[in-house]
Amino acid sequence: MSISRRQFLAVSAAGVASLPALGNIWAQEEGKRNQPNILFLVTDDQRFDALACAGNSAIRTPHIDKLAKTGVVFTNTICQGTACVPSRASMLTASYPHNNGVYSNQCAAMHPTQWTFPRALQETGYYTAIFGKSHFQVL
C-alpha cells in the first residue's frame, strides 16, 4: 500500500489530536489531574546541530524550538548502541545493549521484566504510547 507523506501526516495528526481529550478523561477517572504531560521526541539520523534551537541558523524548526524553550533538551548525550534499535532500547531501559539484550536491529526482543521508563511512568499513573519507529518487542 502506498501512502503519501501528506496522507500519513493527516492520519497521524488526527490520532494525536485525540490524545489530549483521552488523557483528560483518564486523568479525571483516575483523580490525577495535576501530572505534567511528558513528550519524549527522538529522531533518526540527525546531527546534533540539525535544529535551530541547537544553533543552526540555516534550518527553521519553529515548533520544535518552541517545545525546546518550554521543556528539557538533552545536549550532552551519547549513543549507547551503534544501530538504531539497540540505541532506542538503551534509551527506554537506561541500560547498555549487553544488559538489556538488544544487540542489533534483528535481535530486538527485551525480557518482560526489563525495567523501562514508560513502565515506570505507568506505575505512577501515566498512560503511555509509542508512535513511529520502535522495532522492538517484549518476549
Side-chain angles (χ1 to χ4, degrees):
M1 177 179 160
S2 178
I3 185 169
S4 71
R5 180 177 179 267
R6 187 173 298 243
Q7 290 168 324
F8 172 78
L9 291 173
V11 170
S12 298
V16 171
S18 67
L19 289 178
L22 290 174
N24 289 337
I25 292 167
W26 289 327
Q28 289 172 5
E29 288 175 1
E30 297 291 323
K32 298 177 180 166
R33 296 190 176 117
N34 292 320
Q35 289 182 318
N37 291 323
I38 299 171
L39 179 62
F40 188 69
L41 296 175
V42 180
T43 60
D44 257 2
D45 302 321
Q46 180 175 306
R47 285 174 40 114
F48 71 95
D49 63 350
L51 299 169
C53 63
N56 192 324
S57 60
I59 297 175
R60 293 187 339 199
T61 53
H63 301 295
I64 292 177
D65 297 342
K66 185 176 178 181
L67 287 170
K69 284 181 186 175
T70 60
V72 177
V73 177
F74 297 98
T75 58
N76 191 18
T77 59
I78 60 170
C79 180
Q80 298 297 333
T82 56
C84 58
V85 176
S87 184
R88 287 187 198 108
S90 287
M91 283 188 288
L92 288 179
T93 64
S95 180
Y96 290 104
H98 65 272
N99 290 330
N100 64 33
V102 180
Y103 302 103
S104 70
N105 289 345
Q106 290 75 33
C107 172
M110 287 189 283
H111 194 273
T113 60
Q114 173 68 54
W115 180 93
T116 65
F117 85 83
R119 186 174 299 131
L121 289 171
Q122 291 168 0
E123 290 171 359
T124 64
Y126 277 92
Y127 290 90
T128 62
I130 294 177
F131 292 90
K133 292 170 108 176
S134 61
H135 300 274
F136 52 82
Q137 60 192 14
V138 176
L139 292 172

